[in-house]
């Protein structure tokens, strides 16, 4: 092997500049807009460097500067406002559920431009991929012709290998070792950066970035759907585990000898509190599970069976709190709807079974992004290359994707 | 509030120098000895800076340089060997068990100079503190009069608040909000830096620093004693949780309606696999539980009851692996002894209940430090200030502590 060429000074400066461009863009993405003075303070760079970075991001059509404004009290130097460009780059966020798919075209700042949903016609990967491709076409159809598509981010209810996005196992879809990103791209017939991750991990990411858990270092987003999973953030960092599979709390042993689970065992927590258990508790036929949200919304008072499920949600959460000591639990999926019906039972279940010290400081919260946490997390993931190196990300982005994915 | 004074250049240089001193010392502490050439490469500093740091550490009596040696092939410049000073600073490591106490005087490099153990006469904090103080006196009695005692590190089987070391809850000792560090210092009658942490967290630290898990980023040390707990390291960082209480896997719900647990619930995992359950399985009277290790060592073949406990250890570990996706599980406490008897049952229990993806890459290991993982972790914790700033740590260390803690 020949030795790697040494990185020269010019290249380092270029890397620093690209890093700064990405950091500035992430700053504006989080806040929607910033004054140049805020950016100067927030990034610790001088005014002329910030001005240069803003000019370059303007030339890339991702931000625009507007009229100078005075400081709030009318004193001091006026500062330029930096805003996200209205026809700036976007991503396509995909949430693959066991029974329904949601796809959205999302702009910087987390703005949902278009959205499309479908009930899946089957759970085979090619069927789901084909449905997703149709929805992607639908949401990009109205994109401005000059807006660049940065990539597609896909949330999957299963174990996704961090290194390459392979879906190792999605028990409730009966997928094993499915290269779902490739399947979607093949169905679309276009080459575009695609990234995949576990749905609950993305829910945690989104609630931490722009939801109820902004500034919370230790949080768990619990995705209570057909399966139950967790996205764990600890010390501000996503707990991935050795392969990216951490958070499978739906498969904590909960009731020995209990109901059979799709994972092959019996009595996993999700067999007692997942969507099928909830449906059974309210005598909803299995084929109506995709409608569970609206059915639950129709209840004004909980039944005894729903209260029992609330208690079991609380008991399972207690195990998780004992093991991980989070500051906040965010109840996503059907657990959000259940919380409004059986909040007391959930809280009593947690309080009965959690050790006193971790109990004292934990709070149960609903997602600030409502039903969109996972979807918005998929968008955040797809935007990530743009914040690492905007020049490269936009260089490999697809312009006028509309005509290229036309079905 | 008056503004903080700006840190001047001189102070920064001093801070950098102290940081480098500590880093160099940690390097030698981990490896036992290093050549100056290794230190130059490992720390990315030039030869003269390293030489200056070594000289300063020599003047602090923590290292010594010995004769120059040639490179292994006899070529190149000879390099000075830097070794830990034989009468260098030491710490006192304390392992508080539910039924026995171990105290050791530990030098740099993890060398145990003296060790003392006792069965506790009672579990009241003052009784345990008094026993610990006697053992501390015993181990420091033979310390060289010129060796500095850096501090005392104490491992506790309970929930320890990270911010101040308060023992919030040690269910099996029936302690709640016990300032055990102060109690030990009061019994000793000497002021010395004291730090406390959860036993399993310290076991994980020691096995990661100098045991079976060196270089392993995602590991769980499971402490299987009267209580069962875990020290979790993920991405190379200790998972503390919001208050420092993470890892209470003994209180995962395991068997609803099962045996009463000291935490107040029923059916926690530790009620099925902790020392009292093991003792009951082999009809060992409760008062003989402190002898469990030697009793288990007397078995050449497992009984049916021990095999059942092995299976339940495996099932509980499966829940933990599903939740955290570690690369390695280190079986500490009585689980080490059980592993040699019922390894097949433990492994089958794990294999039956763990999801395939996290199962593929996890290994079950015995602690390389044997029964000393927790004790060595307490020593590592007590040494930590020395690696952050050796000058300050030695400035507040106690010289000739023998005469000052004489009972």
């Amino acid at each position: 092997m020949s030795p790697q060429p040494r990185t020269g000074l010019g290249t380092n400066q270029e890397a620093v500049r690209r890093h700064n461009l990405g950091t500035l863009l992430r700053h504006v993405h989080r806040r929607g807009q910033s004054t140049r003075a805020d950016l100067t303070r927030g990034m610790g760079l001088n005014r002329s460097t910030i001005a240069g970075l803003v000019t370059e991001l303007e030339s890339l059509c991702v931000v625009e500067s507007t009229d100078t404004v005075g400081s709030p009290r009318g004193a001091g130097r006026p500062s330029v406002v930096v805003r996200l460009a209205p026809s700036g780059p976007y991503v396509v966020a995909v949430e693959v559920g066991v029974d329904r798919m949601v796809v959205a075209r999302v702009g910087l700042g987390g703005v949902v431009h278009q959205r499309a949903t479908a009930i899946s016609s089957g759970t085979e990967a090619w069927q789901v991929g084909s449905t997703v491709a149709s929805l992607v076409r639908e949401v990009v159809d109205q994109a401005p012709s000059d807006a660049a598509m940065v990539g597609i981010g896909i949330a999957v209810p299963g174990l996704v290998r961090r290194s390459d996005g392979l879906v190792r196992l999605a028990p409730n879809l009966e997928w094993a070792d499915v290269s779902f990103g490739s399947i979607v791209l093949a169905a679309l017939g276009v080459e575009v950066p695609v990234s995949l991750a576990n749905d609950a991990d993305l829910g945690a990411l989104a609630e931490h970035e722009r939801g109820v858990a902004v500034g919370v270092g230790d949080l768990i987003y619990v995705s209570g759907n057909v399966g139950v999973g967790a996205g764990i953030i600890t010390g501000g960092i996503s707990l991935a585990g050795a392969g990216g599979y951490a958070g499978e709390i739906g498969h904590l042993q909960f009731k020995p000898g209990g109901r059979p689970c799709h994972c092959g065992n019996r009595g996993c927590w999700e067999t007692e509190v997942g969507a099928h258990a909830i449906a059974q508790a309210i005598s909803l036929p299995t084929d109506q599970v995709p409608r569970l949200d609206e059915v639950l919304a129709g209840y004004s008072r909980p039944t005894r069976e729903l209260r029992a499920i609330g208690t079991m949600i609380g008991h399972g959460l207690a195990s998780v709190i004992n093991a991980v000591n989070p500051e906040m639990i965010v109840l996503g999926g059907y657990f959000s709807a259940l919380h409004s019906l059986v909040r007391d039972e959930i809280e009593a279940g947690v309080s009965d079974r959690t050790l006193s010290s971790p109990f004292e400081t934990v709070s149960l919260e609903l997602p600030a992004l409502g039903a969109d946490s996972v979807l918005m997390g998929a968008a955040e993931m797809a935007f990530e290359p743009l914040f690492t190196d905007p020049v490269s990300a936009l260089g490999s982005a697809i312009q006028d994707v509309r005509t290229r994915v036309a079905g």
Side-chain angles (χ1 to χ4, degrees), chain A:
Chain A
M1 254 177 78
S2 60
Q4 292 265 318
R6 294 291 288 239
T7 311
L9 180 64
T11 310
N12 279 337
Q13 284 182 336
E14 174 65 12
V16 167
R17 195 179 58 83
R18 289 184 179 205
H19 170 81
N20 286 339
L21 272 180
T23 304
L24 194 155
L25 184 55
R26 189 195 294 273
H27 200 91
V28 183
H29 167 67
R30 281 194 181 143
R31 285 159 191 74
Q33 65 172 47
S34 287
T35 64
R36 238 166 46 188
D38 283 340
L39 292 167
T40 304
R41 273 192 300 273
M43 292 180 61
L45 297 174
N46 65 43
R47 286 175 68 91
S48 65
T49 304
I50 295 288
L53 294 170
V54 170
T55 302
E56 181 160 0
L57 288 175
E58 285 181 308
S59 76
L60 292 168
C61 303
V62 292
V63 304
E64 55 184 31
S65 322
T66 59
D67 300 347
T68 57
V69 293
S71 74
R73 290 178 171 178
R77 285 167 72 174
S79 187
V80 171
V81 173
V82 181
R83 289 208 179 111
L84 297 166
S87 68
Y90 64 87
V91 295
V92 173
V94 177
E95 182 179 359
V96 174
V98 174
D99 38 40
R100 57 183 169 175
M101 316 292 139
V102 186
V103 174
R105 187 166 71 80
V106 182
L108 281 166
V111 178
V112 176
H113 294 305
Q114 268 95 38
R115 174 194 298 263
T117 61
I119 304 292
S120 53
S121 53
T123 61
E124 296 278 344
W126 68 268
Q127 292 172 313
V128 175
S130 169
T131 305
V132 165
S134 302
L135 296 174
V136 172
R137 284 190 193 98
E138 197 176 328
V139 299
V140 301
D141 190 50
Q142 292 163 53
S145 59
D146 58 342
M149 180 193 190
V150 176
I152 302 178
I154 305 179
V156 176
L159 287 77
V160 179
R161 188 158 69 192
R162 190 179 18 169
S163 57
D164 61 0
L166 184 73
V167 181
R168 295 300 315 283
L169 182 73
N172 294 301
L173 288 165
E174 297 179 10
W175 292 3
D177 291 331
V178 169
S179 182
F180 187 66
S182 307
I183 291 172
V184 170
L185 291 184
L188 275 175
V190 65
E191 189 63 34
V192 55
V194 63
S195 48
L196 285 90
N198 170 266
D199 53 1
D201 287 346
L202 293 173
L205 172 68
E207 290 296 330
H208 189 236
E209 282 283 317
R210 53 177 73 248
V212 69
V214 170
V216 175
D218 295 270
L219 71 119
I220 299 181
Y221 176 90
V222 180
S223 148
N225 292 300
V226 171
V228 175
I232 305 173
I233 291 178
T234 171
I237 298 168
S238 175
L239 196 172
Y245 312 127
E248 291 298 323
I249 60 173
H251 302 282
L252 293 176
Q253 165 165 336
F254 190 74
K255 191 175 176 180
R259 306 176 201 191
C261 181
H262 276 129
C263 76
N265 291 320
R266 286 181 167 272
C268 295
W269 185 38
E270 72 180 41
T271 65
E272 298 291 327
V273 299
H276 288 286
I278 301 169
Q280 191 178 329
I282 58 176
S283 306
L284 188 72
T286 301
D287 63 352
Q288 296 294 302
V289 165
R291 290 181 54 243
L292 190 54
D293 254 334
E294 58 183 286
V295 173
L296 287 173
Y299 279 80
S300 55
R301 291 172 44 175
T303 62
R304 191 172 59 84
E305 290 79 8
L306 284 177
R307 285 203 296 265
I309 285 184
T311 301
M312 286 186 291
I313 290 174
H315 288 173
L317 291 177
S319 283
V320 175
I321 297 168
N322 286 337
V324 184
N325 182 204
E327 191 178 337
M328 182 185 289
I329 299 255
V330 183
L331 296 168
Y334 299 122
F335 289 0
S336 285
L338 279 179
H339 187 260
S340 65
L341 281 171
V342 292
R343 176 180 178 164
D344 289 352
E345 285 75 10
I346 294 175
E347 290 184 351
V350 169
S351 140
D352 284 354
R353 299 286 171 95
T354 307
L355 297 173
S356 57
S357 310
F359 177 72
E360 278 168 15
T361 49
V362 73
S363 68
L364 299 188
E365 304 287 345
L366 295 180
L369 302 170
D372 280 351
S373 314
V374 172
L375 192 68
M376 297 309 291
E380 293 290 332
M381 170 175 65
F383 269 128
E384 194 55 37
L386 194 65
F387 307 136
T388 307
D389 180 349
V391 177
S392 293
L394 290 171
S396 60
I398 309 291
Q399 302 290 337
D400 200 12
V401 75
R402 282 191 303 164
T403 54
R404 302 181 53 186
V405 301

